[in-house]
Amino acid sequence: MDLSLEDRTEGDRTVVVVGGEIDVYTAPKLREKLIDLVSAGNYHLVVDMEAVEFLDSTGLGVLVGGLKRVRAHEGSLRLVCTQERILKIFRITGLTKVFPIHASVDEAVAATD
Amino acid sequence: MATVELQLSPQPHHVRTARLVGVAAARRAGLPDELVDELRWALGEACSRAVALHAAHAPDVPVRVLLREDSTGLTVEVIDQGPQGPPSEDGDLAALFEGDEVDPRVSLAVLGGLVDDIDIAATATGTTVRLRWPLPPRSV
């Protein structure tokens, strides 16, 4: 399955729903999407990863790049993920300390810390 | 013994091809579904790393992928001819994410976390990542 990307606004947050496979081939599309959103002034992003079927370290790099971009505008990038294999990859790489990870979009949108 | 060998020119879309072939070979070998998925993630990660290294350093050389089944297990080897970086590190890897590039050490750490039976060996020309899964006994 290819990568699917949709975004919507919820309050002052922009929710990006990612589906399919984030790999060395599709990661540039996700990078472009995050860059476009930040360029358009969306600095508080929630990336919903519940429909992601594959994620490699290239995809991790794109998410970290997105985080750096929103932080340059004092923004935030929160992840929504309950898939154990993806959470494991975030733990292995120490990125659970870098990204706030939430169990639902509602929780991520409501988070303020 | 059954062997599948792939040679991937270092283009990103071929990584998906390798994942699909790996899943097909693993299913045929009788690997349980949960481990088929583990193989898909690990093979994908290993190929992403190798293809990125070749694309940057050896664009005319294919990455080799071997899937070998014997009576005891399924072995996957991803053989690259990229430069050998420093060994993978434990612990906090977040500092290794710079710009949009991913340090190959991150990839090796992810592999080590995904798969129990893994061997990362330096060769004369690059690195071989060997992943292995036991197969359940065949019913006759």
Side-chain angles (χ1 to χ4, degrees):
Chain A
M1 185 183 167
D2 209 339
L3 183 72
S4 67
L5 295 167
E6 290 175 23
D7 62 276
R8 65 176 189 270
T9 302
E10 287 199 23
D12 65 344
R13 310 292 165 93
T14 302
V15 180
V16 185
V17 182
V18 186
E21 301 182 320
I22 311 174
D23 64 8
V24 69
Y25 177 56
T26 60
K29 294 177 198 167
L30 177 60
R31 180 185 301 132
E32 280 172 31
K33 170 61 102 181
L34 296 178
I35 289 173
D36 287 350
L37 288 170
V38 173
S39 300
N42 303 286
Y43 303 141
H44 292 282
L45 305 180
V46 172
V47 178
D48 179 356
M49 305 190 59
E50 291 296 73
V52 170
E53 295 168 3
F54 181 83
L55 172 71
D56 68 15
S57 57
T58 325
L60 294 177
V62 169
L63 292 171
V64 173
L67 180 66
K68 287 179 177 170
R69 287 186 177 95
V70 294
R71 280 192 175 160
H73 300 277
E74 297 181 351
S76 61
L77 194 160
R78 297 171 182 280
L79 302 177
V80 177
C81 179
T82 59
Q83 294 190 59
E84 185 49 40
R85 201 181 300 283
I86 295 178
L87 292 172
K88 188 174 182 182
I89 288 172
F90 279 101
R91 280 197 295 271
I92 294 163
T93 49
L95 293 177
T96 45
K97 295 175 204 146
V98 175
F99 289 103
I101 299 178
H102 300 274
S104 70
V105 170
D106 286 349
E107 184 187 303
V109 168
T112 54
D113 56 313
Chain B
M1 187 170 79
T3 301
V4 175
E5 177 170 357
L6 302 174
Q7 294 199 26
L8 312 173
S9 62
Q11 290 164 314
H13 55 267
H14 287 331
V15 171
R16 176 169 305 177
T17 306
R19 284 203 302 272
L20 291 170
V21 171
V23 165
R27 287 215 175 103
R28 174 159 175 74
L31 203 64
D33 285 349
E34 173 63 19
L35 295 180
V36 170
D37 204 47
E38 185 175 293
L39 179 147
R40 181 175 72 95
W41 284 68
L43 176 58
E45 181 65 51
C47 287
S48 276
R49 173 189 166 278
V51 163
L53 280 174
H54 276 226
H57 301 285
D60 299 326
V61 180
V63 172
R64 289 176 64 217
V65 180
L66 286 169
L67 299 124
R68 193 167 47 245
E69 177 191 347
D70 61 29
S71 58
T72 60
L74 185 65
T75 301
V76 175
E77 288 184 340
V78 178
I79 302 157
D80 74 62
Q81 296 187 29
Q84 293 162 355
S88 70
E89 293 182 8
D90 292 329
D92 191 1
L93 296 164
L96 295 179
F97 289 90
E98 270 303 317
D100 288 325
E101 297 296 314
V102 177
D103 190 301
R105 281 175 287 179
V106 173
S107 197
L108 295 180
V110 167
L111 282 167
L114 285 174
V115 182
D116 291 335
D117 191 345
I118 178 170
D119 180 50
I120 298 164
T123 65
T125 51
T127 301
T128 295
V129 174
R130 188 182 58 77
L131 312 163
R132 187 169 168 80
W133 289 268
L135 287 171
R138 293 257 185 192
S139 53
V140 179

